[in-house]
Amino acid sequence: LLLGLSSLFMQKTVGFTVLGSFLVIGVVLGIARFIWWWKKQEGLQKCLACLDRRTDMNNTMKTLPEDMQFLKSKVAQLVEHTGLPEDEEAGDAQKGSDGTAEVAAENEEVAVEDKEE
């Protein structure tokens, strides 16, 4: 950045010198604004809080596989304790619209009759 600014002043033309001057003013104002934010608007605390959040997220991602195994074992214990079937969706697919297996059997008989005709 500084090399580019210095090359604008080395061109010895008014246009590049004015452009370089505006860019230097912009860089100086940007640095001053950063210092103001860092000192007066608690920039240091905001940066540290951001780094803490990133560290927590990184630790969470590292332990995610172990946490998933733990949760799967807990769900298996709950299924065993409550006596629910392993795959609840497969059991629902065999039931009729009102939840009874008898209706599902009647629907299958009607479907077989339709195929025969």
Side-chain angles (χ1 to χ4, degrees), residues 2 14 27 42 53 73 90 98:
L2 295 177
V14 176
V27 168
E42 299 177 357
R53 282 192 311 270
S73 69
D98 64 348

Coordinates of all heavy atoms in Angstrom, one line a residue, residues 2 14 27 42 53 73 90 98:
L2 N 1.8 1.2 0.9 CA 2.7 2.4 0.9 C 3.6 2.6 -0.3 O 3.9 3.7 -0.7 CB 3.6 2.3 2.2 CG 2.8 2.4 3.5 CD1 3.8 2.3 4.7 CD2 2.1 3.7 3.6
V14 N 0.5 16.4 -11.7 CA -0.4 17.0 -10.7 C -1.5 16.0 -10.4 O -1.9 15.9 -9.2 CB -1.0 18.3 -11.3 CG1 -2.0 18.9 -10.3 CG2 0.1 19.3 -11.5
V27 N -6.1 7.1 4.3 CA -5.4 6.2 5.2 C -5.2 6.7 6.6 O -5.5 6.0 7.6 CB -4.1 5.8 4.5 CG1 -3.2 5.0 5.5 CG2 -4.3 5.0 3.2
E42 N -14.5 0.5 23.1 CA -14.3 -0.8 23.6 C -14.0 -1.8 22.5 O -14.5 -2.9 22.5 CB -15.5 -1.3 24.4 CG -15.8 -0.4 25.6 CD -17.0 -0.8 26.4 OE1 -17.7 -1.8 25.9 OE2 -17.3 -0.2 27.4
R53 N -15.8 -16.4 21.3 CA -16.9 -17.1 20.6 C -16.3 -18.1 19.6 O -16.8 -19.2 19.4 CB -17.8 -16.1 19.9 CG -18.8 -15.4 20.8 CD -19.8 -14.7 20.0 NE -19.3 -13.8 19.0 CZ -19.0 -12.5 19.1 NH1 -19.1 -12.0 20.3 NH2 -18.5 -11.8 18.1
S73 N -26.8 -42.8 22.1 CA -27.0 -43.8 23.2 C -28.1 -43.5 24.1 O -28.9 -44.3 24.6 CB -25.7 -44.0 23.9 OG -25.4 -42.9 24.7
A90 N -41.7 -46.6 9.8 CA -42.0 -47.9 9.1 C -43.4 -48.4 9.6 O -44.2 -48.9 8.9 CB -40.9 -48.9 9.2
D98 N -56.5 -43.6 9.5 CA -57.0 -43.4 10.9 C -56.1 -44.1 11.9 O -56.4 -44.1 13.1 CB -58.4 -43.7 11.1 CG -58.7 -45.2 10.9 OD1 -57.8 -45.9 10.4 OD2 -59.8 -45.7 11.3

